[in-house]
Amino acid sequence: MLTKEHMRFSQRGGILKPGFIDVNNRTLLNAVEALTELFQHGAGLTRAELAEQCEPIIATGFKNPKILRGIEKLLLDRCQFAEPDESAMQRRSAIFAKAAELLEQAHLEELPRYRSAIGQAFNSDPEQLAAALYNDLPERQPLLTFRPLQAQKMLYRYNAAQVQGLLLRAERLTLTFNANDPGTLRLLLQQLRFHRLLARVTRLPHEQVKMVLDGPVSVLEQTQKYGLQLALFFPILLLQKGWSLEALIRPQGKPAATLKLDPSAPLSYWNSHTRAYRPDAEFAQFAANFREKFPDWTVDEHPPLLDLGQQEICAPDMAFHKGEHPFYLELFHRWHATPLLRRLEHLSKRGRDKPPLILGVERSLLKNSQVAQALESSPLFAQRGFMFRDLPSSRTLAKLLETLI
């Protein structure tokens, strides 16, 4: 991800245009290849040493050094550095205390004798002692491993990162894409679930699907974390056919503007393969605990899409079977106030013909007075809903399921 100082975009007439780069620019490709080679052979170098070696390439490799500084940031994101020595701070304090004590001794007025005395106190060479004094600082951490990326893919990664940075300030995000392949839709909805995002999903004519997501600017709590999840979700859209994106962005200190993108933009998924969706470890553990405590129930961690009627569909978090008919679980977390209100409204219009959907709501959502009132007045939630903290309780969920059989 890129930080604020690496962002490049223009805003005119209410339209935002990211500062995309030409992924075929030979000069830029050469500079990226040089930076990548430096990182590939940089094992053992500290962050500060890597930065020093990158500087000549950044300064002269391309006409706009800001672009290469952004590339450098993305390359650093692909590095693993040694963890800082937790004892370094205590050791430094001890060295300073001893140095202050020795400074008061008259026979150590000469600097070489003074430095030698400090080294002897810690059974170490004075030069080595001084060199390791600040090894716990980030810039002193040595590089362990680096995951290289082909130069043109890195330029695609840079362009995607420009979009991701803007999405951190999104108020609303609307996606459309072809859904003639059920696997494509499932992958996208599973990634939504993986990143704990909720969307209003509707079918459009000509085998297209529309998704509307609330952005972090419209969420009252933990906006930074939600915005990061939204940005991390974006790249999977690039694998879809016939995709388009429209987002209302509120850049800091500037008026709101619209971001519009489609496959004509210089964007492409940069990884060689897509990792299949896997639930968070905590959800996998929840499923395992539920199976152990309630063996009469079958837990499906990859349930099928659920048709909610009126062209709306959802991707349940889990499904639970006991007998012929399954029950589907959809969880709403602290930043899902608006999707929860929409879901309650939609289901209330179904009358008795309601899908077998159970709603789990994180307790922190009760801080929203509109949500609290909607849950209190909802007969559907009273029958098919429950509250939870962080993760659902297996016992609470099982008790509710038993009442629905």
Side-chain angles (χ1 to χ4, degrees), residues 1-2 7 74 156-166 234 267 270:
M1 297 283 289
L2 296 178
M7 294 298 298
L74 295 175
Y156 278 122
R157 174 71 189 96
Y158 176 89
N159 283 346
Q162 291 294 330
V163 177
Q164 290 175 302
L166 291 173
F234 164 72
L267 294 163
W270 56 91

Side-chain angles (χ1 to χ4, degrees), residues 71-341:
I71 297 290
E72 179 193 30
K73 169 62 171 63
L74 295 175
L75 289 170
L76 285 168
D77 289 345
R78 304 180 69 82
C79 293
Q80 180 185 359
F81 290 91
E83 293 295 324
D85 183 0
E86 296 181 358
S87 65
M89 185 178 295
Q90 295 178 344
R91 184 173 175 81
R92 183 166 58 246
S93 297
I95 293 171
F96 286 162
K98 189 65 176 178
E101 177 187 331
L102 293 174
L103 191 60
E104 297 178 358
Q105 299 185 19
H107 68 284
L108 295 177
E109 292 180 353
E110 296 179 4
L111 181 60
R113 294 181 63 185
Y114 173 63
R115 289 169 60 89
S116 178
I118 296 174
Q120 289 177 9
F122 293 92
N123 296 317
S124 178
D125 178 78
E127 298 298 329
Q128 294 180 353
L129 201 64
L133 201 57
Y134 293 97
N135 275 356
D136 57 323
L137 299 183
E139 60 266 24
R140 302 293 293 274
Q141 296 168 5
L143 176 64
L144 298 179
T145 60
F146 169 68
R147 295 177 292 115
L149 192 64
Q150 188 264 343
Q152 188 175 59
K153 289 183 177 181
M154 179 54 70
L155 297 187
Y156 278 122
R157 174 71 189 96
Y158 176 89
N159 283 346
Q162 291 294 330
V163 177
Q164 290 175 302
L166 291 173
L167 292 179
L168 292 173
R169 299 292 303 173
E171 182 172 307
R172 185 177 63 255
L173 181 64
T174 302
L175 312 174
T176 59
F177 52 91
N178 295 339
N180 45 12
D181 177 9
T184 298
L185 178 59
R186 166 159 291 282
L187 175 64
L188 204 61
L189 290 176
Q190 286 175 336
Q191 288 295 320
L192 275 174
R193 183 171 57 184
F194 179 74
H195 293 295
R196 296 194 181 184
L197 302 170
L198 283 181
R200 185 174 186 179
V201 185
T202 54
R203 294 189 184 275
L204 302 176
H206 311 298
E207 295 187 311
Q208 282 205 316
V209 165
K210 176 182 177 181
M211 285 185 178
V212 180
L213 296 87
D214 291 319
V217 177
S218 68
V219 177
L220 296 179
E221 290 191 54
Q222 295 197 353
T223 57
Q224 186 174 4
K225 183 176 180 181
Y226 183 92
L228 179 60
Q229 295 296 91
L230 189 65
L232 292 173
F233 164 75
F234 164 72
I236 202 70
L237 179 65
L238 304 179
L239 294 172
Q240 314 309 312
K241 294 181 179 179
W243 67 271
S244 68
L245 176 152
E246 183 171 330
L248 180 62
I249 309 290
R250 294 190 180 276
Q252 197 165 10
K254 295 185 178 182
T258 301
L259 171 67
K260 293 183 178 181
L261 297 171
D262 58 37
S264 65
L267 294 163
S268 179
Y269 196 72
W270 56 91
N271 283 337
S272 58
H273 66 280
T274 307
R275 185 172 61 182
Y277 164 79
R278 295 184 301 171
D280 288 339
E282 55 192 13
F283 279 91
Q285 186 62 48
F286 168 79
N289 290 341
F290 193 95
R291 292 187 186 100
E292 181 181 352
K293 293 178 180 178
F294 306 99
D296 292 343
W297 285 91
T298 300
V299 183
D300 184 357
E301 296 177 57
H302 303 277
L305 304 178
L306 183 60
D307 190 343
L308 300 180
Q310 300 177 349
Q311 301 298 308
E312 189 154 343
I313 55 180
C314 81
D317 291 283
M318 292 182 187
F320 299 83
H321 303 254
K322 187 178 183 181
E324 185 177 349
H325 302 293
F327 293 93
Y328 299 90
L329 173 65
E330 186 176 23
L331 299 176
F332 294 83
H333 296 274
R334 64 192 65 200
W335 48 69
H336 293 157
T338 301
L340 173 59
L341 292 171

